[in-house]
């Protein structure tokens, strides 16, 4: 019904164009069209030159309908000097509507604001060319269409299908949802071009040996690696290799600490030197330490210095004991001071474990306080809490802490897991 | 296989009810609630459904390879990346988990939590007069600033003169004072018939908000310097209970301090049903909710049946009495 109405309008327009050329005649044509359209239908007042009702675009949303209006006016602008072509009324309408649909769906990057469009204001210009005239296919495809992208949005969801960069990032496994919550990262990712910005850096990462499956993780945690200058990245990798880190080590370090390559050479050098001096380790030991916890090269040094002071002064470990602990469990350097002192206090004052035993099994400093407390109290209740290696029925600290619950109950406590859980409810 | 995964995922939407958890010592109650919420969200992650496809017109390269001669378009279904889970985020980002009567960080014990629509039941639980059961492990000889054994010591005293008899006398005195408070806080005139009827049914108690009241108090373990008290109370806080221990010490002409406050029962939830730290996964929580619902249902049916049977026995007794009277009249 609506298509018939539109085709009738089209027919009238064509007839007017064919027979009359003056502007007043065109006006008369439009007045005829106005009579055809019943008053019950709503007319959109802003588009004076084109009487097309809302029902024409019933299947599409309001926004895309307005684009179609834009398209119509675009066509009007472009074909101001087009020759009058043969009329095939319904076929024309369907053809132009198909071309409009194809134009809205084809990816295009320019967003036209509708209020700035000049064609709506000048009736005469719009009247000279009609949206319903036939155009060839190449012209139809080359029409630029304002895309359906919103100018601003709080989510990258609206842009992911149109943007090549974003779709390729999703395929790599980057968590865009997490990244768009960080301020300004979303807009930065949108502005990147895949071929010139993202691809060279990903190729560089592949060259140094980072696996493809790690790309998603790296970019999710450090999207700024895609903004870093490639020469700088190259310099930092060559510096690390000059410090005798093997290529596989460098690759694994970059995968586990995504921010590593954002730091300049001077800073990396500073940190490596710091760890070597403070802990008085050999070069190979330092390398080993940093390779196992590459985050050490990224964090600030003040908390590390404080942790070392805590170990020395508050906990009372000797220098060689600290060295041994740090090389075995590097996480102690970045651990929370309060938790570290809490667990040490329990180990030393409640469980009565001397310093040398703690230094011998440093992994107890890495465990959860509640776990150690529950297990110790259970062993104490069963009168099996004996941690001195010289006496019989000795229970080693590392086994007590690292075994899962079932193994702990059956092997160390010689009891059942249910009893352990029941005991936990009496603490 | 996929169907079971989808079913598990929707179980989260249908999870409503109450369950209880054993809060470990030293942990803030909010951390417990957050951990349970995180575990519920993580535990029901279904494999992502297939992406919906949208039809797009893709430009095919023209056979002659001329520049700008992309004349042919073909329709092809293309996965819609805007529905990809990495772009939209997880489906469930928040679950309503509510906490019942709170426990402070230095206490441990039963903590009632509610999921989804169970939060309304939690509200009712708060309003009804359910009592809570505590075990207080205490020690003579010390008085501290915050009444617990980790606070700054204010006073130290001897406790050799304390016997179980003296302790029990003090406890009885306290219990009496609390009974009086119970009657005082109920908004009922003591010399009325209404008060008598409520007291007979055992429903005489404080109405709404009141001072903390200990409805029951007894000593379960006595070995100086340490002793353990079992307390049933209403409207209390853990700090109040520690203060009570401190006052018991003062009454006995010594000092006492509370080492451990442990809640063993909160209304109908006991520590037997409570989930320990390693049982805080989504599957265990769902099972606990179902278990509680089942026990509630069976209790209801049992109570109904007992009421019916008691009504039946009363009826039969009445019949016997009437027939007996009839025989008497007759004879």
């Amino acid at each position: 019904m609506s298509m018939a109405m539109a085709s009738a309008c089209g027919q009238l327009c064509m007839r007017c164009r064919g027979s009359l050329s003056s502007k007043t005649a065109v006006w008369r044509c439009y007045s005829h069209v106005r009579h055809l359209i019943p008053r019950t239908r709503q007319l959109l007042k802003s588009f004076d030159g084109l009487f097309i009702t809302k029902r024409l675009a019933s299947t599409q949303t309001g926004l895309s309908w307005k684009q179609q209006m834009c398209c119509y006016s675009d066509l009007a602008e472009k074909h101001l000097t087009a020759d009058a072509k043969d009329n095939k009324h319904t076929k024309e309408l369907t053809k132009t509507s198909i071309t409009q649909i194809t134009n809205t769906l084809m990816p295009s990057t320019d967003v036209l604001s509708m209020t700035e469009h000049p064609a709506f204001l000048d009736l005469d210009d719009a009247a000279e060319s009609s949206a319903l005239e036939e155009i060839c296919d190449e012209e139809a495809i080359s029409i630029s269409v304002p895309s359906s992208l919103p100018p601003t949005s709080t989510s990258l969801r609206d842009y992911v299908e149109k943007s090549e960069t974003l779709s390729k990032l999703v395929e790599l496994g980057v968590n865009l949802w997490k990244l768009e919550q960080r301020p300004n990262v979303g807009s930065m990712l949108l502005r990147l071009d895949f071929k010139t910005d993202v691809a060279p850096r990903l190729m560089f990462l592949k060259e140094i040996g980072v696996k493809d499956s790690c790309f998603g993780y790296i970019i999710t945690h450090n999207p700024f690696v895609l903004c870093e200058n490639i020469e700088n990245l190259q310099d930092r990798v060559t510096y690390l290799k000059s410090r005798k880190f093997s290529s596989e080590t460098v690759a694994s370090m970059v995968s586990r600490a995504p921010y590593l390559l954002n730091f300049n050479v001077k800073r990396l050098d500073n940190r490596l030197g710091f760890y070597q001096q403070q802990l008085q380790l050999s070069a190979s030991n330092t390398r080993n330490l940093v390779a196992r916890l590459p985050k050490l090269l990224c964090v600030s040094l003040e908390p590390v210095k404080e942790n070392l002071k805590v170990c020395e002064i508050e906990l009372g470990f000797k220098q060689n004991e600290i060295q041994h602990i740090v090389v075995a469990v590097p996480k102690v350097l970045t651990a929370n001071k309060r938790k570290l002192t809490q667990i040490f206090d329990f180990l030393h004052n409640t469980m009565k474990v001397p310093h040398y035993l703690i230094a011998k099994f440093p992994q107890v400093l890495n465990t959860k306080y509640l776990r150690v407390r529950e297990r110790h109290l259970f062993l104490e209740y069963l009168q099996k809490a004996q941690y001195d290696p010289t006496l019989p029925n000795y229970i080693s600290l590392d086994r007590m802490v690292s075994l899962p619950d079932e193994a702990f109950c059956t092997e160390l406590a010689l009891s059942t897991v249910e009893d352990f859980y029941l005991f936990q409810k009496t603490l | 296989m996929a169907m079971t995964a989808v079913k598990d995922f929707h179980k989260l939407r249908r999870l409503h009810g109450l369950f209880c958890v054993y809060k470990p010592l030293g942990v803030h109650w909010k951390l417990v609630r957050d951990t349970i919420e995180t575990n519920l969200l993580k535990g029901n992650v279904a494999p992502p459904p297939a992406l919906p496809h949208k039809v797009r017109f893709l430009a095919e390269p023209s056979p002659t390879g001329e520049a700008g001669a992309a004349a042919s378009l073909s329709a092809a279904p293309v996965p819609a990346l805007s529905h990809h889970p990495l772009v939209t985020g997880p489906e469930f980002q928040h679950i309503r988990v509510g906490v019942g009567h709170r426990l402070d960080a230095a206490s441990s014990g039963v903590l009632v939590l509610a999921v989804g629509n169970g939060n309304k039941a939690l509200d009712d639980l708060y309003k009804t007069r359910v009592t809570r059961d505590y075990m207080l492990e205490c020690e003579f000889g010390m008085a501290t600033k915050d009444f617990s054994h980790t606070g700054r010591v204010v006073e130290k005293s001897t406790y050799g003169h304390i016997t179980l008899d003296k302790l029990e006398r003090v406890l009885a005195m306290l219990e009496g004072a609390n009974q009086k408070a119970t009657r005082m806080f109920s908004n009922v005139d003591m010399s009325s018939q209404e008060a008598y009827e409520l007291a007979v049914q055992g429903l005489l108690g404080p109405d709404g908000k009141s001072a903390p009241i200990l409805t029951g108090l007894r000593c379960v373990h006595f070995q100086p310097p340490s002793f353990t008290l079992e307390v049933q109370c209403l409207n209390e806080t853990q700090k109040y209970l520690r203060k009570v221990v401190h006052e018991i010490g003062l009454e006995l002409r010594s000092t006492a301090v509370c080492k451990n406050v442990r809640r063993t029962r909160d209304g109908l939830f006991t520590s037997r049903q409570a989930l320990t730290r390693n049982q805080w996964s989504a599957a265990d929580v769902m099972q606990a909710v179902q278990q509680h619902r089942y026990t509630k249902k069976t209790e209801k049916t049992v109570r109904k049946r007992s009421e019916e049977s008691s009504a039946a026995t009363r009826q039969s007794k009445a019949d016997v009495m009437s027939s007996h009277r009839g025989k008497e009249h007759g004879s």
Side-chain angles (χ1 to χ4, degrees):
Chain A
M1 166 76 165
S2 52
M3 288 301 279
M5 281 303 307
S7 62
C9 301
Q11 264 180 1
L12 267 175
C13 290
M14 287 308 106
R15 227 179 288 148
C16 297
R17 273 188 63 107
S19 56
L20 308 157
S21 55
S22 67
K23 293 176 191 172
T24 48
V26 175
W27 262 115
R28 237 175 277 150
C29 154
Y30 282 120
S31 62
H32 280 303
V33 171
R34 207 187 280 149
H35 287 312
L36 274 176
I37 295 165
R39 294 188 197 227
T40 49
R41 291 206 191 167
Q42 297 166 23
L43 296 174
L44 197 66
K45 301 237 166 91
S46 55
F47 302 100
D48 284 340
L50 306 158
F51 294 101
I52 297 173
T53 62
K54 275 190 184 173
R55 291 244 190 124
L56 252 186
S58 55
T59 49
Q60 299 188 335
T61 57
L63 187 65
S64 55
W65 175 75
K66 282 186 186 164
Q67 289 154 33
Q68 279 204 316
M69 298 304 296
C70 264
C71 302
Y72 279 118
S73 48
D74 266 345
L75 287 171
E77 238 194 299
K78 287 201 162 96
H79 303 289
L80 276 174
T81 53
D83 299 330
K85 296 197 177 143
D86 290 325
N87 311 334
K88 283 170 194 171
H89 313 293
T90 45
K91 275 193 203 166
E92 274 165 28
L93 192 65
T94 47
K95 209 188 245 177
T96 45
S97 56
I98 284 172
T99 51
Q100 257 116 57
I101 292 165
T102 56
N103 286 332
T104 50
L105 291 176
M106 270 172 68
S108 67
T109 48
D110 46 329
V111 179
L112 278 177
S113 168
M114 286 177 287
T115 49
E116 294 160 17
H117 219 77
F120 301 168
L121 307 169
D122 199 348
L123 272 174
D124 293 339
D125 285 339
E128 276 182 19
S129 70
S130 166
L132 304 172
E133 73 179 48
E134 194 174 331
I135 50 172
C136 57
D137 283 337
E138 289 86 6
E139 279 181 5
I141 290 169
S142 64
I143 292 168
S144 70
V145 174
S147 64
S148 56
L149 297 177
T152 54
S153 166
T154 51
S155 161
L156 287 175
R157 208 182 315 156
D158 305 321
Y159 303 107
V160 79
E161 278 164 32
K162 301 288 171 66
S163 162
E164 190 198 353
T165 322
L166 291 181
S167 13
K168 290 271 162 59
L169 286 178
V170 172
E171 280 164 34
L172 279 174
V174 176
N175 196 340
L176 287 182
W177 176 72
K178 225 196 259 183
L179 282 178
E180 72 191 9
Q181 286 163 359
R182 287 167 71 168
N184 302 327
V185 170
S187 359
M188 181 202 81
L189 286 176
L190 262 180
R191 280 191 221 113
L192 293 175
D193 179 58
F194 189 77
K195 290 191 185 64
T196 53
D197 297 325
V198 180
R201 285 167 181 88
L202 291 180
M203 288 308 299
F204 170 77
L205 286 178
K206 195 163 176 177
E207 276 163 32
I208 57 175
V210 178
K211 293 197 200 89
D212 294 350
S213 46
C214 299
F215 286 163
Y217 175 82
I218 292 175
I219 300 176
T220 309
H221 287 261
N222 182 19
F224 305 108
V225 74
L226 300 172
C227 308
E228 202 63 34
N229 203 341
I230 294 197
E231 286 101 42
N232 285 345
L233 294 175
Q234 195 66 49
D235 287 339
R236 286 152 200 175
V237 172
T238 32
Y239 167 75
L240 286 174
K241 287 198 177 144
S242 74
R243 282 273 165 266
K244 296 183 199 144
F245 283 98
S246 71
S247 344
E248 297 92 31
T249 322
V250 172
S252 95
M253 277 165 67
V254 170
S255 318
R256 280 154 58 206
Y259 274 101
L260 186 66
L261 290 180
N262 275 41
F263 293 114
N264 57 14
V265 173
K266 189 175 164 197
R267 198 171 153 162
L268 293 175
D269 190 38
N270 197 17
R271 271 168 176 65
L272 281 173
F274 169 79
Y275 290 118
Q276 191 158 9
Q277 277 172 1
Q278 278 282 323
L279 302 166
Q280 285 153 11
L281 296 171
S282 67
S284 63
N285 268 346
T286 324
R287 251 176 276 141
N288 190 18
L289 179 75
V290 169
R292 284 165 60 207
L293 192 66
K295 210 169 65 150
L296 285 175
L297 291 180
C298 305
V299 293
S300 55
L301 291 178
E302 283 304 318
V304 176
K305 284 185 202 163
E306 286 173 14
N307 271 21
L308 285 172
K309 283 289 170 199
V310 158
C311 286
E312 197 186 310
I313 298 173
E314 212 173 316
L315 307 187
F317 283 111
K318 292 196 280 274
Q319 200 58 14
N320 60 339
E321 285 173 340
I322 295 180
Q323 259 183 20
H324 180 80
I325 290 172
V326 166
V327 166
V329 180
K331 213 169 167 190
V332 169
L333 290 174
T334 47
N336 187 344
K337 279 181 278 294
R338 192 178 51 84
K339 289 185 188 168
L340 193 63
T341 40
Q342 189 186 33
I343 201 164
F344 178 81
D345 173 50
F346 186 78
L347 281 170
H348 190 64
N349 299 328
T350 316
M351 287 166 71
K352 309 285 183 218
V353 178
H355 278 94
Y356 76 92
L357 265 182
I358 300 178
K360 198 167 161 195
F361 301 113
Q363 54 267 58
V364 295
L365 290 173
N366 198 16
T367 54
K368 288 208 178 298
Y369 168 71
L370 282 174
R371 190 181 166 101
V372 172
R373 183 170 176 269
E374 283 163 5
R375 290 187 173 189
H376 166 72
L377 289 174
F378 188 50
L379 290 173
E380 203 179 31
Y381 177 70
L382 295 171
Q383 289 161 358
K384 288 194 170 71
Q386 205 279 96
Y387 307 111
D388 189 356
T390 53
L391 299 173
N393 288 336
Y394 159 66
I395 290 190
S396 73
L397 283 174
D398 61 339
R399 287 193 79 200
M400 183 193 112
V401 152
S402 57
L403 284 178
D405 280 341
E406 297 86 25
F408 166 76
C409 291
T410 44
E411 290 170 35
L412 291 183
L414 307 172
S415 167
T416 57
V417 182
E418 288 81 23
D419 287 344
F420 184 42
Y421 294 163
L422 276 177
F423 178 76
Q424 277 182 8
K425 292 190 205 176
T426 63
L427 291 176
Chain B
M1 190 65 188
M3 273 310 290
T4 49
V6 167
K7 264 202 283 186
D8 284 334
F9 180 63
H10 288 296
K11 267 187 201 166
L12 198 63
R13 269 213 183 122
R14 291 199 300 256
L15 183 66
H16 304 290
L18 297 167
F19 64 102
C20 65
V21 142
Y22 195 88
K23 186 189 91 69
L25 225 171
V27 174
H28 197 271
W29 60 265
K30 191 153 192 292
L31 203 68
V32 173
R33 193 212 73 88
D34 290 341
T35 313
I36 297 263
E37 190 179 335
T38 320
N39 285 353
L40 280 174
L41 285 171
K42 273 197 298 197
N44 283 320
V45 176
L51 285 180
H53 282 60
K54 286 189 185 166
V55 174
R56 290 272 179 271
F57 290 93
L58 304 172
E60 277 176 9
S62 66
T64 50
E66 285 172 18
S72 56
L73 296 168
S74 63
V78 162
L81 280 178
S82 55
H83 294 281
H84 197 279
L86 285 178
V87 179
T88 57
E91 184 166 329
F92 282 111
Q93 291 174 19
H94 173 67
I95 295 180
R96 282 188 306 151
V97 176
V99 180
H101 296 106
R102 297 191 288 263
L103 273 174
D104 63 356
S107 346
S108 59
V110 172
L111 185 66
V112 178
L113 296 172
V115 191
N117 290 340
N119 285 296
K120 291 182 203 154
L122 207 64
D123 210 27
D124 296 334
L125 193 74
Y126 231 94
K127 289 192 186 130
T128 56
R129 267 202 317 261
V130 281
T131 55
R132 284 168 288 288
D133 222 357
Y134 285 86
M135 294 290 262
L136 303 173
E137 285 159 34
C138 326
E139 201 175 296
F140 286 121
M142 236 182 9
T144 54
K145 194 102 197 304
D146 63 351
F147 313 127
S148 74
H149 74 301
T150 50
R152 185 166 66 85
V153 177
V154 170
E155 195 183 318
K156 278 200 170 170
S157 59
T158 57
Y159 47 85
H161 59 276
I162 302 176
T163 60
L164 183 61
D165 176 48
K166 287 185 193 165
L167 179 64
E168 293 204 339
R169 217 177 291 171
V170 168
L171 294 181
M173 185 267 295
L174 268 177
E175 234 188 293
N178 273 289
Q179 289 274 358
K180 193 173 163 198
T182 311
R183 280 183 236 122
M184 207 164 59
F185 280 104
S186 66
N187 294 336
V188 179
D189 188 9
M190 273 302 120
S191 50
S192 67
Q193 177 66 14
E194 189 190 346
Y196 170 72
E197 277 168 14
L198 283 175
V200 154
Q201 289 170 349
L203 294 175
L204 195 66
D207 203 17
K209 291 218 175 218
S210 73
I213 288 177
L214 311 176
T215 54
L217 183 61
R218 71 184 178 116
C219 175
V220 293
H221 170 75
F222 180 78
Q223 195 161 17
S226 62
F227 65 104
T228 311
L229 297 175
E230 191 187 322
V231 178
Q232 282 98 30
C233 44
L234 279 175
N235 287 335
E236 85 297 351
T237 56
Q238 287 78 43
K239 197 158 183 189
Y240 175 77
L241 294 173
R242 292 192 191 99
K243 195 171 162 205
V244 162
V245 171
H246 176 256
E247 280 167 11
I248 290 173
L250 291 178
E251 285 290 325
L252 289 166
R253 314 291 170 87
S254 172
T255 46
V257 88
C258 192
K259 277 201 296 197
N260 207 0
V261 175
R262 196 161 53 88
R263 189 194 276 168
T264 46
R265 180 183 66 83
D266 186 343
L268 288 171
F269 296 94
T270 56
S271 56
R272 188 173 283 275
Q273 308 148 3
L275 299 174
T276 50
R277 212 158 54 90
N278 41 277
Q279 292 170 327
W280 286 356
S281 64
D284 291 318
V285 166
M286 287 201 274
Q287 199 187 24
V289 168
Q290 273 186 343
Q291 192 81 29
H292 173 72
R293 211 182 286 166
Y294 177 70
T295 46
K296 232 176 32 176
K297 225 185 256 183
T298 47
E299 261 189 42
K300 240 190 199 170
T301 50
V302 161
R303 214 182 306 147
K304 243 191 209 168
R305 258 185 236 144
S306 68
E307 275 177 15
E308 282 167 14
S309 65
S310 63
T313 49
R314 252 182 276 136
Q315 188 63 33
S316 59
K317 263 191 197 165
D319 289 340
V320 163
M321 289 298 289
S322 61
S323 63
H324 194 75
R325 243 179 267 130
K327 275 189 197 155
E328 277 185 9
H329 279 297
S331 67

